[in-house]
Amino acid sequence: MTASIPVSPHVPAVAWQGLRHVHVLQSLPDDRLAELAAQCRWQHLAVHQTLEGAYADQRLYMLVHGGLRVSSYAPSGRGLTLGEITQGVFFGGLPQQQNDCSGIPLVVEAAEPSLVASLAHEDVETLLMNEPQVLRSFIGRLSDLVVALARRMVNLGTLTVRSRLHAQLLERAERAGVEQGQALLAPAPRQNDLALLLGTSREEVAREMARLVRLGLLRREGRNLRICHVEGLRVLLEEAR
């Protein structure tokens, strides 16, 4: 982990076009997005740089471009990735009395070069009160988060590390798009990142990945990883449930 970078006080020239990528804002016209862009605080993050404030203040953060990880680290340095934030997703923004994560130190860091916009709590309240479609999208996103959290908890509590890896690869395959029974993960997920996400060691992930390669289910293609038989991977997971 490295220190956070300073916040740029300037609105990027294409800021409102970037906000078009944020799912909950897609119903807004261009002029309204331009207004929001001027209200936003903008931060550029390089790989592994941390984002200060998220889950600690009351601002609503939106990932305009790139990818982030939310992790927690024990004093010993042992870490667990709690989730990944993809482009177009919002996070944070809870009232202070509901947003005290002091007992669970969270670190938001960039998995790739990223652009993050954030709105003050007061601006978020005004937005939700005046834009019913945004409010509906906001509530829908919260419902999706509950489902994702429940799935994660079930997997952690009921599946072996091997099966959790299969589930994670299938989830990434669905996000990347399955064509003719295959999916290309570009770039390939790092084994250390997968280990932090699954709550295990990099060595255990490496052993299972090597086994899946021998079974013909995975194939390395340069910096990418091809899932050669998505249904075969799904069968392994279903047999373990």
Side-chain angles (χ1 to χ4, degrees):
M1 295 181 293
T2 61
S4 63
I5 59 176
V7 177
S8 170
H10 304 295
V11 178
V14 293
W16 69 264
Q17 292 97 325
L19 289 182
R20 179 67 67 199
H21 297 151
V22 179
H23 304 320
V24 296
L25 303 180
Q26 290 177 349
S27 63
L28 296 179
D30 292 349
D31 58 346
R32 186 69 180 97
L33 285 179
E35 291 176 7
L36 283 179
Q39 294 173 340
C40 284
R41 184 172 70 186
W42 295 85
Q43 291 172 270
H44 291 273
L45 299 174
V47 177
H48 301 312
Q49 285 188 302
T50 60
L51 175 67
E52 296 291 346
Y55 301 109
D57 57 24
Q58 299 184 62
R59 300 185 69 85
L60 181 76
Y61 291 81
M62 298 167 286
L63 180 58
V64 175
H65 176 75
L68 305 173
R69 283 191 298 269
V70 182
S71 305
S72 183
Y73 294 88
S76 64
R78 183 179 177 84
L80 175 67
T81 296
L82 304 179
E84 296 175 327
I85 299 172
T86 56
Q87 178 176 299
V89 171
F90 74 82
F91 54 103
L94 293 176
Q96 193 64 44
Q97 62 268 26
Q98 301 177 29
N99 205 29
D100 184 6
C101 295
S102 58
I104 309 174
L106 300 178
V107 177
V108 179
E109 58 186 325
E112 57 186 277
S114 301
L115 176 63
V116 180
S118 65
L119 281 169
H121 185 67
E122 297 77 13
D123 293 329
V124 175
E125 286 188 335
T126 300
L127 174 66
L128 296 179
M129 289 178 63
N130 295 333
E131 302 289 349
Q133 287 182 290
V134 174
L135 177 58
R136 282 194 290 270
S137 297
F138 196 92
I139 294 172
R141 171 59 184 165
L142 292 177
S143 298
D144 292 342
L145 286 173
V146 171
V147 173
L149 178 60
R151 183 184 303 117
R152 178 86 189 278
M153 294 301 296
V154 168
N155 286 347
L156 285 172
T158 63
L159 297 179
T160 63
V161 170
R162 173 179 287 182
S163 294
R164 295 204 298 271
L165 176 60
H166 299 168
Q168 180 60 213
L169 291 174
L170 283 170
E171 182 179 323
R172 290 170 184 262
E174 291 168 1
R175 289 206 303 261
V178 179
E179 296 183 3
Q180 299 181 336
Q182 300 187 0
L184 183 66
L185 306 186
R190 297 172 62 242
Q191 292 178 354
N192 189 59
D193 293 340
L194 288 172
L196 287 172
L197 190 62
L198 300 175
T200 186
S201 66
R202 188 195 66 79
E203 290 75 17
E204 191 160 3
V205 170
R207 283 195 296 270
E208 180 57 18
M209 296 279 280
R211 189 180 79 94
L212 293 175
V213 169
R214 292 195 299 271
L215 290 174
L217 297 178
L218 300 182
R219 182 174 69 240
R220 291 280 181 179
E221 296 183 355
R223 297 180 63 249
N224 305 328
L225 178 69
R226 181 172 296 278
I227 301 178
C228 305
H229 200 320
V230 172
E231 282 307 309
L233 193 60
R234 199 183 310 278
V235 167
L236 287 182
L237 178 59
E238 291 303 321
E239 288 178 346
R241 288 189 185 274

